[in-house]
Amino acid sequence: WDTMNMWSNPPLEFLEKEISPFPDWVAWHALISPKLGLYETKVTALGADTFRVRLTVENTGWLPTYVTKKALEKKVTRGVIAEISLPKGAKLESGKDREELGELEGRAYKPVMADESAESTWDRVKFEWVVKAKKGTKVKLSARHDRAGVVKAEVVLK
């Protein structure tokens, strides 16, 4: 017996036909995966070298960031994590330099008439910090999710 072709793989003349659907299937899975996207960054001056910094991210993918309800049930995934990186001389007045705010839904179950102007929805999350720093200071922001990727932004306090 040729065990490699008898038990593990189809005979060579049938091999191409057998595996040809898989590249399309793999591409389809990549296309429906969750994907973290940058929705908005905003800086609001509060006076006396104090600024509110906002980072809003969304899941632009088809599937939710947790991908399956079983993953939620088993708690094998964590939510979106946002981080703010301040230069020397800047101080965080409110908020934490690393925040975790849960999972985001995808477009799979999105209502047809969704309110696109809403800042925080089931597929979007908003992080806010209050920073004390001089005008013109550059602040780095990032958000990540293990299954949905990373987004980065830089804002200038003005």
Side-chain angles (χ1 to χ4, degrees), residues 15-144:
L15 185 59
E16 185 178 345
K17 182 180 178 202
E18 188 67 27
I19 65 171
S20 65
F22 289 105
D24 291 339
W25 181 76
V26 170
W28 178 75
H29 275 274
L31 290 170
I32 67 167
S33 296
K35 185 175 184 217
L36 207 55
L38 179 64
Y39 179 76
E40 175 190 47
T41 58
K42 186 175 182 181
V43 175
T44 307
L46 302 176
D49 288 338
T50 305
F51 303 87
R52 177 182 295 115
V53 178
R54 177 186 294 167
L55 170 68
T56 307
V57 295
E58 63 186 341
N59 177 12
T60 62
W62 182 258
L63 290 174
T65 55
Y66 53 86
V67 180
T68 68
K69 294 202 189 280
K70 199 53 113 174
L72 277 182
E73 225 175 82
K74 300 278 184 185
K75 298 182 179 159
V76 296
T77 178
R78 63 177 137 184
V80 177
I81 297 169
E83 293 180 302
I84 185 169
S85 178
L86 301 174
K88 191 174 180 176
K91 183 181 172 192
L92 197 57
E93 293 285 304
S94 78
K96 294 185 253 176
D97 57 351
R98 182 178 184 272
E99 303 253 3
E100 184 177 333
L101 284 180
E103 303 288 353
L104 298 175
E105 293 297 327
R107 292 189 330 251
Y109 311 111
K110 190 171 187 176
V112 176
M113 300 301 286
D115 179 10
E116 292 297 326
S117 66
E119 292 172 341
S120 214
T121 63
W122 47 269
D123 65 336
R124 198 175 291 156
V125 67
K126 173 179 64 171
F127 300 91
E128 286 189 337
W129 301 271
V130 175
V131 175
K132 188 159 187 78
K134 293 183 180 180
K135 203 176 219 181
T137 300
K138 290 182 183 177
V139 174
K140 293 181 181 179
L141 308 171
S142 68
R144 71 178 186 278

